[in-house]
């Protein structure tokens, strides 16, 4: 039987050095040699091209972050007023660091990276970033982070982006709970998400250091449960009215310890 940790390391090197197609071809050869092997079959599933396909929803499109998006993502990094609100962009990030991160994002498997990042497009124009980080398949939770650039953060596009990413979380990833940690100075975002069914769960007092304010800042913790998403009239109305990719509708269940 194949040594699965070694297989995973081998495939990770192939994805980084030769690309996703080379890794898929090698994995298919391994599947032919070991038909019915559960670990190999699971790897085949996580290498499916569907995890990398662009996803249309209403007026927006989600494209998985990759080196081809470097110029836009770098412009977001340089826009400190905007990027600081996203909370997941490291300080003092260099262009070289970012290119390395985007290369890793492009080839990573979700169970390994425990995250997925997208560039949000309106037509051919990138207008924001969206992501799930700290994905926990055992507890079926993840942290949701999203920001659309000023001028594009209008209700229709915001509703499309939220509904698309939340359907991805609850259907494609099989999650039970989506979390948000929002700076206390950004309360309007919390209020916006509350209109979409999120509920405030607590206040983390003086949880993060704010360089601009030279002081500590609170974090608001909000969350949306799967059952609340299913019954939220605003989100379900968007889901029914707006055309979207069929991938969003497929409900999946994953092992609580995928690729273990």
């Amino acid at each position: 039987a194949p040594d699965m940790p070694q297989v995973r390391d081998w495939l990770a090197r192939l994805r980084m050095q030769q690309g996703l197609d080379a890794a898929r071809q090698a994995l298919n050869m391994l599947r032919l040699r070991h038909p019915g092997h559960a670990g190999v079959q699971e790897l085949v599933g996580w290498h499916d091209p569907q995890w990398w396909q662009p996803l249309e929803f209403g007026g927006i499109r989600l494209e998985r972050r990759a080196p081809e998006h470097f110029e836009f993502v770098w412009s977001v990094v340089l826009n400190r007023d905007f990027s600081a609100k996203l909370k997941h962009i490291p300080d003092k990030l260099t262009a070289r660091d970012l290119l390395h991160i985007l290369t890793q994002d492009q080839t990573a498997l979700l169970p390994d990276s425990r995250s997925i990042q997208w560039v949000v497009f309106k037509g051919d124009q990138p207008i924001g970033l969206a992501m799930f980080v700290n994905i926990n398949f055992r507890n079926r939770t993840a942290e949701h982070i999203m920001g659309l650039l000023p001028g594009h953060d209008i209700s229709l596009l915001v509703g499309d982006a939220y509904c698309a990413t939340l359907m991805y979380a609850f259907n494609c990833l099989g999650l039970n709970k989506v979390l948000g940690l929002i700076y206390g100075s950004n309360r309007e975002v919390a209020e916006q998400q509350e209109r979409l069914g999120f509920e405030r769960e607590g206040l983390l007092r003086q949880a993060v250091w704010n360089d601009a304010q030279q002081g500590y800042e609170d974090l608001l913790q909000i969350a949306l449960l799967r059952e609340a998403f299913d019954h939220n009239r605003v989100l379900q109305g968007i889901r029914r009215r707006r055309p979207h990719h069929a991938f969003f509708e497929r409900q999946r269940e994953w092992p609580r310890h995928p690729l273990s």
Side-chain angles (χ1 to χ4, degrees), residues 7 60 70 163-164 181 188:
V7 169
I60 62 100
F70 172 82
C163 197
L181 294 172
E188 64 273 12

Side-chain angles (χ1 to χ4, degrees), residues 123-172:
D124 294 329
Q125 182 179 7
I127 62 171
L129 298 175
M131 64 194 78
F132 287 106
V133 299
N134 302 320
I135 299 174
N136 187 316
F137 284 99
R138 180 179 185 275
N139 296 326
R140 308 290 197 226
T141 61
E143 182 183 348
H144 182 257
I145 300 172
M146 188 176 73
L148 300 186
L149 291 171
H152 300 284
D153 50 351
I154 58 176
S155 58
L156 196 61
L157 295 178
V158 170
D160 286 346
Y162 268 111
C163 197
T165 52
L166 292 173
M167 287 182 71
Y168 194 97
F170 293 122
N171 287 347
C172 307

Side-chain angles (χ1 to χ4, degrees), residues 61-93:
R61 181 176 71 259
L62 301 178
E63 289 191 9
R64 191 160 169 180
R65 217 166 62 170
E68 66 196 67
H69 304 118
F70 172 82
E71 288 188 12
F72 173 71
V73 180
W74 183 241
S75 72
V76 171
V77 172
L78 296 179
N79 185 347
R80 291 307 302 165
D81 289 340
F82 179 75
S83 63
K85 296 178 181 179
L86 294 178
K87 194 173 64 63
H88 195 63
I89 296 179
D91 293 330
K92 301 179 181 178
L93 185 70

Side-chain angles (χ1 to χ4, degrees), residues 116-242:
I116 184 167
Q117 296 90 5
W118 298 283
V119 175
V120 183
F121 280 81
K122 178 186 178 185
D124 294 329
Q125 182 179 7
I127 62 171
L129 298 175
M131 64 194 78
F132 287 106
V133 299
N134 302 320
I135 299 174
N136 187 316
F137 284 99
R138 180 179 185 275
N139 296 326
R140 308 290 197 226
T141 61
E143 182 183 348
H144 182 257
I145 300 172
M146 188 176 73
L148 300 186
L149 291 171
H152 300 284
D153 50 351
I154 58 176
S155 58
L156 196 61
L157 295 178
V158 170
D160 286 346
Y162 268 111
C163 197
T165 52
L166 292 173
M167 287 182 71
Y168 194 97
F170 293 122
N171 287 347
C172 307
L173 298 180
L175 300 184
N176 180 60
K177 184 175 185 177
V178 169
L179 303 169
L181 294 172
I182 301 170
Y183 289 125
S185 58
N186 204 17
R187 292 178 182 270
E188 64 273 12
V189 173
E191 294 170 358
Q192 179 185 71
Q193 291 182 319
E194 285 178 314
R195 290 194 291 272
L196 296 174
F198 283 80
E199 295 186 9
R200 299 194 189 198
E201 293 192 329
L203 178 68
L204 308 179
R205 300 176 59 210
Q206 298 187 17
V208 292
W209 175 258
N210 187 315
D211 283 328
Q213 298 179 6
Q214 284 297 293
Y216 291 100
E217 187 168 1
D218 298 341
L219 286 178
L220 297 171
Q221 179 168 309
I222 63 173
L224 180 68
L225 296 177
R226 171 64 193 252
E227 59 193 36
F229 170 78
D230 287 339
H231 295 95
N232 183 269
R233 295 175 62 185
V234 175
L235 289 170
Q236 294 305 316
I238 297 171
R239 178 182 183 175
R240 289 191 298 269
R241 292 192 304 270
R242 305 289 279 168

Side-chain angles (χ1 to χ4, degrees), residues 7-32:
V7 169
R8 288 176 63 182
D9 290 343
W10 168 59
L11 289 170
R13 290 194 299 272
L14 274 177
R15 293 196 304 272
M16 285 289 291
Q17 296 170 6
Q18 300 182 38
L20 286 160
D21 286 341
R24 291 184 186 116
Q25 290 173 11
L27 189 53
N28 283 331
M29 293 294 292
L30 189 64
R31 180 171 57 174
L32 292 175

